[in-house]
């Protein structure tokens, strides 16, 4: 794994609309139709939500990229260090159980 990720667009996540498309959508008026001001206010809230979702997705993708970069940069712990740590714990257990280390 090289830590590289492709930053996806909202469309690649299956999101069909964006804030601008919602903003530019016009609905024809008909007799006894919906209150245009109420529809506009509701669409304005949807636009704000879409913008927030897009910002969150972008932030999370950047954090994922940084986390993967950090994972690549950090060298794994050496197996010898793990073995020495285990041997030290065994010696401590021997002293605890028998009053002295065996061997």
């Amino acid at each position: 794994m090289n830590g590289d990720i492709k930053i996806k667009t909202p469309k690649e996540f299956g999101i069909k609309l964006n804030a601008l498309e919602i903003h530019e959508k016009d609905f024809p008026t008909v007799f006894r139709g919906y209150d245009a001001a109420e529809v506009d206010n509701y669409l304005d809230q949807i636009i704000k939500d879409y913008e927030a979702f897009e910002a969150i997705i972008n932030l999370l993708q950047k954090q994922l990229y940084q986390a993967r970069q950090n994972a690549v940069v950090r060298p794994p712990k050496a197996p010898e260090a793990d073995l020495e740590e285990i041997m030290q714990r065994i010696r401590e257990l021997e002293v605890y159980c028998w009053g002295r280390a065996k061997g």
Side-chain angles (χ1 to χ4, degrees), residues 20-29 39-40 43:
L20 183 61
E21 291 169 332
I22 295 169
H23 178 72
E24 292 178 343
K25 176 68 177 168
D26 282 328
F27 295 94
T29 56
V39 171
D40 285 343
L43 290 175

Side-chain angles (χ1 to χ4, degrees), residues 69-85:
Q69 289 296 90
N70 290 339
V72 170
V73 171
R74 292 184 190 143
K77 192 174 181 182
E80 298 81 25
D82 289 340
L83 182 58
E84 182 57 38
E85 191 176 309

